[in-house]
Amino acid sequence: MLDFRRFLPPLPSSLKRTWRNDGYALLKSAVSPVQIGSVETLIDEQWERREGNIHQLDILTGKYAGRTFLMQEAPAETRNEAYKLNNLFLHNPVIRDLAYSPPIRKAVTDFLDGEPVICNSLNFARGSQQDAHIDSWYMPAPNGGPMVAVSIALDSVHTNNGPIFFIPGSQRIPPYKFSDGRLNIIAAEAEHCMEYLENEITKRSLQRRDLVCNAGDAFIWHGQLIHGGSAIRDFSLTRKSLVVHYWRATDVEPSHVIRDSHGAYLRRTLRGELSL
């Protein structure tokens, strides 16, 4: 397979060092204003043409908080809440275009040490306000392989609109294994897991940071990095973003992968609601 990385400039050594030591990287101006506009148009279309739309929408705030709807069934007022719209990557090349913009693709390929494959995408209108967590609790890569996540800012991110928070260096904490020997979170054991992580954070003197960045920047993090969503101080402000999770293609059964001009992606969503 052609290794396209040799056609792109190498990643700066400072970026590689931050990734190695702290488990994250921030790519400035990774996507263009035109690309951002194309995603915003796509989201408008999802809301305006909901009939027959079976993409799943998780509501995070308001009277419907904690509920999941099909887009075709979502109450109109939920658009004004914090929500995440799941897995537009499967049917929309606009999403894959951003997910595989050259700077992002180069970095993700280097960090995975192999060809990436999209396994999940989430579109947010506002900050998630999600508690501290680790992505491998919910979608660990097959065969114990690596995972990388990217949040592409479609709005500027600052302290008032609920920025991502993260704990640099926390990806080096040995993963907590639940009673079944896996990384997937077991709700009844979550308290013990958090105690373990808090002890490790204290022992290593790790400190929380908030992400502040501009529209078009891409924040990349290791699948074991502890992170979450800060409180939204001003709910009138949006924090639109596209979050994409990637596995390494060689860890996935070849029959489960599709490739196009953008890159590789799963032919079936992890939730199982959509497939090709």
Side-chain angles (χ1 to χ4, degrees), residues 244-257:
V244 185
H245 295 84
Y246 308 78
W247 293 337
R248 189 168 52 195
T250 52
D251 295 322
V252 181
E253 173 64 38
S255 63
H256 297 168
V257 176

Side-chain angles (χ1 to χ4, degrees), residues 98-151:
L98 261 72
Y100 280 125
S101 70
I104 294 173
R105 182 169 177 170
K106 167 66 177 174
V108 169
T109 302
D110 274 23
F111 297 154
L112 288 171
D113 193 25
E115 181 192 14
V117 57
I118 297 171
C119 64
N120 163 275
S121 75
L122 307 167
N123 282 88
F124 292 88
R126 288 179 169 82
S128 70
Q129 303 187 109
Q130 188 172 3
D131 291 339
H133 65 282
I134 297 173
D135 287 340
S136 63
W137 290 351
Y138 307 107
M139 56 187 94
N143 305 316
M147 176 172 61
V148 168
V150 178
S151 178

Side-chain angles (χ1 to χ4, degrees), residues 188-207:
E189 301 172 17
E191 183 176 350
H192 294 292
C193 176
M194 291 306 299
E195 289 176 357
Y196 164 75
L197 293 175
E198 288 167 2
N199 288 335
E200 288 292 323
I201 290 168
T202 300
K203 181 171 68 176
R204 297 163 186 264
S205 299
L206 303 179
Q207 301 294 321

Side-chain angles (χ1 to χ4, degrees), residues 7-21:
F7 298 108
L8 294 171
L11 293 177
S13 58
S14 59
L15 204 68
K16 291 183 177 182
R17 185 167 55 251
T18 301
W19 177 263
R20 183 173 60 252
N21 294 336

Side-chain angles (χ1 to χ4, degrees), residues 5 31 75 77 130 132 187 192 227 254 276:
R5 284 179 288 180
V31 302
E77 63 264 34
Q130 188 172 3
H192 294 292
H227 65 287
L276 292 174

